[in-house]
Amino acid sequence: MLGDRSFEDAADSDGPGRRALILVENLSVPFDRRVWQECTTLRDAGWEVHVICPRGEKRDTEPEAEIDGVRIHRYPLRAATGGPAGYLREYGSALWHTARLARKVGPVDVVHACNPPDLLFLPALWLKRRGARFVFDQHDLVPELYLSRFDRGEDLLYRAVCALERRTYRAADVVLATNESYRDVAVRRGGRRPEDVFVVRSAPQTDRFQPVPPEPELKRGKPHLLCYLGVMGPQDGVDYALRALAKLRDEFGRTDWHAVFVGSGDAFDAMVELSRKLGFSEQVQFTGRIPDADLVRYLSTADVCLSPDPRNPLNDVSTMNKVLEYMAMGRPIVSFDLREARVSADDAALYAPANDEAEFAKLITVLLDDPEKRARMGRIGQERISGQLSWRNSQTSLLAAYAAACRDHAPVSANDPNRTGKRQRR
């Protein structure tokens, strides 16, 4: 619980003179928007912030960078292919590089590890033995991710990832959960005390998501534009969206739309091929990853945004970044009926029964035919993002978590001979 502490109160405590090291394996930084927001929040509270993460392919490619006072150390990493064995190779390489770069950074007061994978507790434990406190930032429920992605059931590898999650919970001093569902898992399954688990919701950067005038030419001659934004992995439901669009065309007779799918992932090529097989060579466009300015152009022009994540053990309890980003842009949403989708979007979305592609298509027609409803839902979404779902609330919770982790903990890094330069503030 945060009590009545304000962001300014939290920012004035526990930060100055301390060092934090954030470990990320899943994405590069600052491309990982949640991690970057955490970095800048800590920096503004007086922390010296270091990040260890993989290099990006087209951006974030430098091995070393200092951006807005945050020091980033990147390592080369080849993304997994070939199923679970590929992930073991990827994670082994990531752990080796993370340990190597952590030695280079030197002593820190807090090591902040972001999953997946639930293996970063290993370098975190090494740093704990040298005086650091460990903050576990649980971006994903890895056991549920395994069940949803590989469809192998509760086999030996599933039991292994459950064991790694338990070890991570046990090692952490405090846990950051992205929503109340994740917080419940940390308490119930992880055995953590409720007062040691802090909800730090992901939130879109409102300066990044500012609507611009719509551009009708993006609709490719159609009256309406449908938009999907996000990762395209096996569990993300792009295939559900494409089959729903086929039903929209074939069962509802609607061809008055153009659809654009923005993003990439390891299912990208398969989704392009599925689109071709469904006869969408002209009506559905895949852009891959695009610059922010182009993304904002598409979202500002979109009439309806799609959140087709199917119900599975992971998606039902996860907060979808794309939903929050659609809301920030004032766009109405069609989603499957997932627990955390309703928590995030509330009346900014219409909800089809889980995994029901025909009903998903029907709800698209409802919104296409009702511009007033679309506008009303868009306003609701923007109000939620600027209010209860704003990053400012998460900033307060993040700094409270750090204060709890560092309570009665003297700085270990004040006299570190490995420190170079002075902390830079924007």
Side-chain angles (χ1 to χ4, degrees), residues 1-13 198 392-393 395-397 399-400:
M1 299 295 293
L2 298 179
D4 295 324
R5 296 188 75 200
S6 68
F7 172 71
E8 288 77 10
D9 294 334
D12 287 339
S13 65
F198 296 77
R392 186 173 180 83
N393 293 331
Q395 284 180 310
T396 304
S397 188
L399 295 175

Side-chain angles (χ1 to χ4, degrees), residues 17-261:
R18 292 186 183 268
R19 305 177 89 205
L21 174 60
I22 300 181
L23 310 180
V24 189
E25 194 277 344
N26 198 38
L27 290 172
S28 64
V29 175
F31 180 71
D32 189 317
R33 299 291 180 175
R34 172 186 171 88
V35 172
W36 186 243
Q37 287 173 306
E38 291 173 330
C39 289
T40 55
T41 295
L42 292 167
R43 177 208 62 202
D44 290 344
W47 287 79
E48 179 183 312
V49 182
H50 293 254
V51 181
I52 296 175
C53 66
R55 296 180 198 171
E57 292 184 1
K58 296 182 179 180
R59 57 176 294 176
D60 302 341
T61 57
E62 306 90 344
E64 299 280 340
E66 182 165 336
I67 303 174
D68 295 340
V70 176
R71 302 173 188 180
I72 306 172
H73 314 264
R74 304 189 183 107
Y75 54 85
L77 187 65
R78 179 176 295 179
T81 58
Y87 282 91
L88 292 176
R89 289 191 294 271
E90 175 190 330
Y91 295 156
S93 174
L95 285 174
W96 185 85
H97 284 294
T98 298
R100 172 180 63 84
L101 291 170
R103 290 187 181 93
K104 179 180 178 181
V105 171
V108 295
D109 298 284
V110 169
V111 54
H112 175 153
C114 308
N115 81 333
D118 284 338
L119 287 167
L120 294 177
F121 78 92
L122 294 170
L125 281 176
W126 180 78
L127 289 163
K128 278 194 74 170
R129 289 196 292 269
R130 285 151 180 80
R133 295 297 174 94
F134 175 24
V135 173
F136 173 38
D137 192 349
Q138 192 165 28
H139 292 191
D140 278 313
L141 300 177
V142 176
E144 283 79 0
L145 176 61
Y146 179 84
L147 291 174
S148 302
R149 187 177 182 90
F150 296 113
D151 195 27
R152 295 163 59 102
E154 296 183 4
D155 61 359
L156 180 62
L157 278 174
Y158 171 79
R159 293 193 292 274
V161 298
C162 288
L164 291 171
E165 182 189 68
R166 288 193 298 271
R167 290 293 304 274
T168 303
Y169 279 135
R170 192 177 307 138
D173 292 293
V174 299
V175 176
L176 307 183
T178 58
N179 58 39
E180 292 292 344
S181 294
Y182 278 32
R183 184 177 187 272
D184 179 65
V185 170
V187 172
R188 174 177 46 81
R189 189 165 79 196
R192 299 307 312 235
R193 299 186 307 166
E195 58 266 33
D196 292 333
V197 186
F198 296 77
V199 174
V200 178
R201 290 185 173 276
S202 296
Q205 292 179 295
T206 52
D207 58 345
R208 178 188 180 214
F209 289 94
Q210 288 291 329
V212 298
E215 301 180 27
E217 60 270 21
L218 297 179
K219 300 183 180 185
R220 301 281 182 92
K222 300 290 186 177
H224 302 294
L225 180 67
L226 311 178
C227 190
Y228 171 92
L229 163 64
V231 176
M232 298 185 190
Q235 73 275 16
D236 294 306
V238 177
D239 53 333
Y240 282 80
L242 290 171
R243 290 191 294 266
L245 294 182
K247 292 181 182 296
L248 182 63
R249 177 194 61 195
D250 300 336
E251 298 182 14
F252 292 90
R254 298 296 294 258
T255 59
D256 56 343
W257 51 268
H258 177 69
V260 61
F261 286 73

Side-chain angles (χ1 to χ4, degrees), residues 294-319:
D294 291 332
L295 170 61
V296 168
R297 291 169 57 228
Y298 280 113
L299 289 177
S300 297
T301 306
D303 296 286
V304 178
C305 287
L306 310 179
S307 183
D309 307 85
R311 180 180 291 168
N312 58 38
L314 178 68
N315 290 346
D316 195 41
V317 295
S318 296
T319 299

Side-chain angles (χ1 to χ4, degrees), residues 349-410:
L350 299 183
Y351 303 93
N355 308 353
D356 187 333
E357 296 159 0
E359 189 63 22
F360 195 95
K362 180 180 178 180
L363 293 180
I364 294 174
T365 70
V366 169
L367 290 179
L368 293 183
D369 291 337
D370 194 340
E372 291 184 2
K373 186 177 187 69
R374 298 200 305 265
R376 184 168 61 253
M377 292 169 63
R379 288 193 297 271
I380 290 171
Q382 287 182 315
E383 289 168 1
R384 290 179 62 77
I385 290 297
S386 63
Q388 66 190 90
L389 299 180
S390 71
W391 176 246
R392 186 173 180 83
N393 293 331
S394 290
Q395 284 180 310
T396 304
S397 188
L398 172 66
L399 295 175
Y402 265 63
C406 294
R407 191 170 294 124
D408 302 322
H409 177 58

